[in-house]
Amino acid sequence: MQMGKTKNTKFKRPQFSPDGIAVNSAKQSVDEIEDDEEGSPAAEFLDKLESPSADLREYACASISRVVQQSQIIPGFLQRDAVRKIGPLLLDHSLAVRETAAGALRNLSACGGPEVCENMVRQDVLTPLIALMRECCAGFDVNPPPAKRGQKHTVENVANEAVNLLWNLCENSSTAVSVFNKAGLVDALLHCLERHHQNMELALSAAHCLHTVSEENSDLVCGVNSALFGVLDNILSSKQISMEHTLLRTLAAGSLWNLKNSLSSAQQSQTVSALVATLSHSLSLDAGELIPDLWRAESARLSKDNTSATESNHTDEQAAGHMAEAEMMEEDGKINGGKANGRKAKKNNDISDLLPRDRLELQEASSLLSAQQTSLEIVVNMCCSDEPSDDEWEEMSSSDESEMCADGMTDTNSSLFSPLCLSAELHTTLLNHSIPQQVLKKAEFPSPAALEICSKYPSWKCLLKKMHRVQCRALTCLHNILDSMDTDSLGGASGLQAVTQHLSSLVFSSSEALKDEEFLEAVTSALRSLLQILASKNMPQCMTPHQLMSFCEAASRCELVSVRVNALAVLGITGSSLAKEKDTADTLQLIGNALLNVATKDPNLVVCGEALDALFDVFADGDEAEKAGKHINLLSSLKALQPGFRARLRKEGRGNYSPDQLCVLDNIRINLKRFIGYLENLKK
């Protein structure tokens, strides 16, 4: 999503030490490292990379892999040319060194963000990485000698680390994507995907990487071969019921959607039908029932183990430690949501690869939620346009969705997506697979039973954010479906009223929900779209004045411009409908005062403009609107703020807002002058 657009959002996940590394063998904890006299471990570890001892090189890479999880340490490594020093070890004669070197670079790319990824690409990390991936793929087909008991490092483990590093780089660097295309690395991913029967972890990493790199990649679309489609189709038609297989099929569906334009029309139709069926299956699974079932299965399995209760508790505490580390990384190592060289740098908070290997049921639950989140993001993409950039649309708004700017460009709503009318065939396919109903179901709050388990048991706590994220994606998806499907497809008048009641209950069922920006952005976008549809059909609005004002007051305190804009649009749409009814002057006064307050005081001109635009809609016509306007001194208030708005537009406009936003704001400036004239004529 945009997670590019919102699917186009690949939510960058924090990566940690590769599996199989004996982190404890580092003999020095991160806390101890922080206490070193030199203050930074970079010099010591980088020096050890040149040791003739493979064990020492492995130790150094494993240590770097661990310490770079602290983002404040990363600059010290970059200043000492860490990438150029670690890069050659990707081709070390020791598999263990290769794996730990790839793990160190993987963590560096994930925890450093887009700028570090670009830096790594500039320092030519892709040259040894490409060579490593080709060697690994060649090694898949060679029968290795029997693994020694306890041996941890294999060609496939090395390949998994390499694929994850490639994924991180392509996520954040358009240059990396270009190199990916020229080097034909899609063939390497194909080899990894083909091993899904033998190594699901490797296949999932490759599927994630392909899903990312295939997005908005016209060069790849033009050059993709039939072998790749064959493998993806084979994955899509697999029948295994595990949640990891569900996730793999979902990612394959996303890649097929990204690459569909290289297929003929007939092939597209068949492929889209198959991938929508895959998404439907993923969304049909009830996480609220499955998560408690999986937890009970884990409890029963652990109770039968021969390990002592103390050891079991230690396992749970260790898992909780992994989760705490992961949550810390979501804050400290988070990837900024801005564009990185034309590609959206996206935050992936999937930490399923951090789960201890003995927590099979927890891994299944995590895979289920990841599959459902990805499914919703793909549906979002199906219902949105790729034309304007996200940054251009993100903070634009006007409550009159049909108004044209002076240069002929249409204004849009403030969501992160620009919905299209679906093609008739895709529209029918989504309906036949009950996608709208499944999306609405996922937009509900997670089940109390699942929330209780995940809140109570530390090792399952990591699922709380994932459940919340599924709900937010569903709300965003609902917004796009509302904008791109006709009313009858959504159940007609009764169906829309039911959705309205559902969204209203979501907004007001939890005071905590009104404090969550991600939730607010998703629910306000959906509510705005729904109320616009209700107004266009002359159907009654459902929010009471108290609910309306409470909602908008909470949204007005949100730092996200898009949330504030959506809330103002909701006020404008609702007020415009109320102005046509009798005995609504009191409510219109509340709405008018709220809009005037925002138009005067909000620091963002786009928000001020949305407030003014909403005022024009609410008080444009009707006896109730005229009565309410007089009570709040609308005319004098608008006259008072007009000079300040014009001055701010001249002073702040250029450089701070996009050309499209300036177009809308200039229209609002003109409309403000006209509306004041209209009110003056009414007064006469």
Side-chain angles (χ1 to χ4, degrees):
M1 292 178 227
Q2 226 152 11
M3 238 215 219
K5 305 169 192 88
T6 278
K7 154 188 160 188
N8 298 354
T9 307
K10 269 66 179 179
F11 299 86
K12 180 65 66 184
R13 64 181 176 185
Q15 308 290 5
F16 290 81
S17 302
D19 298 324
I21 293 178
V23 174
N24 292 336
S25 69
K27 301 179 182 178
Q28 193 176 18
S29 70
V30 172
D31 291 335
E32 290 171 337
I33 290 171
E34 286 178 331
D35 292 335
D36 280 353
E37 292 181 4
E38 295 180 5
S40 171
E44 175 191 351
F45 292 148
L46 292 175
D47 285 343
K48 287 183 171 64
L49 295 177
E50 300 176 7
S51 170
S53 166
D55 288 342
L56 201 53
R57 295 196 301 276
E58 178 189 356
Y59 157 73
C61 289
S63 300
I64 292 170
S65 181
R66 184 166 181 79
V67 298
V68 295
Q69 294 169 27
Q70 302 174 92
S71 57
Q72 72 272 18
I73 286 180
I74 291 177
F77 280 92
L78 296 179
Q79 290 164 9
R80 292 172 172 83
D81 215 15
V83 176
R84 293 190 186 277
K85 292 178 179 178
I86 302 173
L89 297 184
L90 293 174
L91 301 174
D92 195 276
H93 63 79
S94 164
L95 275 182
V97 174
R98 289 186 177 199
E99 183 178 348
T100 52
L105 291 169
R106 171 185 175 180
N107 287 6
L108 187 63
S109 64
C111 303
E115 291 184 4
V116 170
C117 288
E118 283 291 350
N119 182 284
M120 294 173 72
V121 172
R122 284 194 299 270
Q123 295 189 47
D124 201 29
V125 73
L126 285 167
T127 295
L129 178 60
I130 291 169
L132 173 63
M133 291 192 64
R134 288 173 174 162
E135 284 191 23
C136 287
C137 292
F140 292 161
D141 302 323
V142 177
N143 292 324
K148 297 178 182 178
R149 183 175 179 83
Q151 182 177 345
K152 298 176 180 178
H153 303 287
T154 67
V155 171
E156 291 187 349
N157 287 346
V158 176
N160 185 58
E161 292 302 321
V163 170
N164 276 279
L165 171 57
L166 179 66
W167 175 20
N168 291 345
L169 295 174
C170 290
E171 186 79 87
N172 295 288
S173 168
S174 59
T175 306
V177 174
S178 178
V179 173
F180 176 98
N181 293 336
K182 292 176 181 177
L185 286 180
V186 69
D187 292 333
L189 295 184
L190 177 60
H191 282 295
C192 297
L193 286 169
E194 287 176 324
R195 304 193 69 76
H196 66 274
H197 293 299
Q198 298 98 332
N199 192 324
M200 176 57 73
E201 183 182 9
L202 175 60
L204 281 173
S205 296
H208 276 295
C209 186
L210 180 62
H211 189 207
T212 293
V213 82
S214 62
E215 181 191 332
E216 299 178 357
N217 188 342
S218 57
D219 290 339
L220 182 61
V221 170
C222 294
V224 71
N225 56 42
S226 59
L228 178 60
F229 282 111
V231 172
L232 293 175
D233 288 337
N234 182 47
I235 291 173
L236 222 58
S237 61
S238 63
K239 303 300 182 184
Q240 292 91 338
I241 61 173
S242 77
M243 296 303 106
E244 285 192 328
H245 280 93
T246 299
L247 176 57
L248 182 65
R249 286 191 290 269
T250 302
L251 292 166
S255 295
L256 283 169
W257 176 258
N258 292 339
L259 298 170
K260 67 185 183 301
N261 288 338
S262 64
L263 297 170
S264 67
S265 298
Q267 290 173 316
Q268 278 196 41
S269 177
Q270 184 178 1
T271 297
V272 169
S273 179
L275 71 87
V276 170
T278 297
L279 303 181
S280 177
H281 171 72
S282 172
L283 293 174
S284 69
L285 299 172
D286 189 347
E289 290 186 2
L290 287 171
I291 287 175
D293 288 347
L294 287 166
W295 176 82
R296 284 189 287 269
E298 180 189 71
S299 299
R301 178 176 60 82
L302 293 177
S303 68
K304 293 178 182 179
D305 284 349
N306 295 326
T307 55
S308 66
T310 302
E311 289 173 323
S312 296
N313 289 336
H314 172 71
T315 300
D316 198 71
E317 289 169 5
Q318 186 181 48
H322 280 293
M323 296 310 106
E325 264 187 333
E327 290 179 9
M328 176 190 72
M329 284 306 308
E330 286 191 19
E331 300 303 321
D332 294 341
K334 187 189 309 186
I335 304 302
N336 189 298
K339 282 251 181 176
N341 296 318
R343 292 186 65 79
K344 186 71 175 182
K346 297 158 191 168
K347 181 182 65 174
N348 188 327
N349 294 312
D350 182 4
I351 54 173
S352 56
D353 64 330
L354 304 176
L355 301 176
R357 289 295 158 195
D358 62 339
R359 311 309 293 261
L360 303 177
E361 295 81 6
L362 180 55
Q363 181 75 49
E364 284 282 277
S366 179
S367 295
L368 165 62
L369 294 174
S370 294
Q372 294 188 335
Q373 177 182 329
T374 302
S375 296
L376 291 165
E377 291 167 354
I378 295 169
V379 176
V380 165
N381 264 5
M382 291 179 168
C383 302
C384 72
S385 164
D386 294 326
E387 301 252 336
S389 74
D390 307 317
D391 294 333
E392 287 175 331
W393 287 124
E394 189 171 29
E395 295 175 355
M396 290 181 59
S397 69
S398 171
S399 60
D400 181 1
E401 301 293 332
S402 64
E403 181 175 343
M404 299 288 289
C405 291
D407 60 359
M409 296 185 65
T410 56
D411 182 33
T412 69
N413 63 44
S414 63
S415 88
L416 300 179
F417 314 97
S418 175
L420 289 177
C421 293
L422 298 176
S423 69
E425 185 175 6
L426 180 56
H427 178 279
T428 301
T429 302
L430 292 174
L431 289 177
N432 288 344
H433 288 90
S434 304
I435 294 295
Q437 292 83 353
Q438 291 170 347
V439 169
L440 186 60
K441 181 69 175 176
K442 291 292 176 284
E444 297 175 359
F445 284 113
S447 77
L451 287 175
E452 181 181 3
I453 286 172
C454 295
S455 300
K456 184 175 180 181
Y457 297 96
S459 61
W460 287 69
K461 189 176 180 181
C462 61
L463 300 184
L464 289 173
K465 288 185 178 181
K466 294 174 75 69
M467 287 190 285
H468 167 76
R469 205 162 284 121
V470 167
Q471 182 193 24
C472 288
R473 298 297 176 272
L475 286 167
T476 300
C477 193
L478 177 61
H479 156 68
N480 280 33
I481 287 175
L482 287 168
D483 276 3
S484 58
M485 287 190 168
D486 59 77
T487 306
D488 292 338
S489 301
L490 300 169
S494 60
L496 288 176
Q497 288 287 6
V499 176
T500 304
Q501 293 297 330
H502 174 67
L503 288 180
S504 298
S505 68
L506 287 182
V507 173
F508 299 107
S509 60
S510 168
S511 59
E512 290 302 311
L514 295 178
K515 300 175 184 177
D516 188 292
E517 289 186 347
E518 186 179 15
F519 173 81
L520 275 176
E521 181 165 36
V523 77
T524 55
S525 294
L527 193 57
R528 173 180 180 165
S529 294
L530 179 60
L531 291 178
Q532 186 67 59
I533 293 172
L534 292 176
S536 67
K537 302 292 181 182
N538 292 319
M539 296 169 61
Q541 307 290 318
C542 65
M543 298 177 72
T544 67
H546 175 71
Q547 286 180 326
L548 184 67
M549 301 315 297
S550 297
F551 165 68
C552 292
E553 182 182 354
S556 68
R557 294 194 294 268
C558 181
E559 291 185 4
L560 288 180
V561 168
S562 56
V563 170
R564 304 206 301 275
V565 163
N566 282 335
L568 294 170
V570 166
L571 281 179
I573 294 165
T574 305
S576 180
S577 298
L578 290 175
K580 301 172 185 176
E581 302 175 11
K582 293 183 178 180
D583 301 321
T584 57
D586 289 344
T587 303
L588 293 177
Q589 287 182 50
L590 291 174
I591 293 174
N593 279 324
L595 292 172
L596 282 171
N597 184 59
V598 173
T600 305
K601 298 179 179 179
D602 198 280
N604 188 285
L605 271 177
V606 170
V607 179
C608 295
E610 180 66 41
L612 289 171
D613 209 26
L615 280 167
F616 305 156
D617 288 343
V618 173
F619 294 96
D621 193 24
D623 294 338
E624 296 296 316
E626 186 176 348
K627 186 191 305 182
K630 290 178 180 177
H631 278 289
I632 64 173
N633 298 315
L634 180 61
L635 176 58
S636 59
S637 297
L638 291 177
K639 282 184 175 181
L641 68 81
Q642 183 184 27
F645 183 78
R646 284 201 307 256
R648 285 186 63 189
L649 185 56
R650 285 195 303 269
K651 183 178 180 180
E652 302 174 22
R654 300 295 174 184
N656 293 322
Y657 300 94
S658 72
D660 298 317
Q661 290 172 326
L662 291 175
C663 168
V664 174
L665 290 168
D666 194 55
N667 270 347
I668 291 171
R669 176 188 62 80
I670 295 170
N671 289 339
L672 175 58
K673 180 179 180 180
R674 292 172 179 170
F675 192 69
I676 289 173
Y678 163 74
L679 293 178
E680 288 176 333
N681 289 334
L682 275 183
K683 187 175 182 180
K684 294 176 182 178

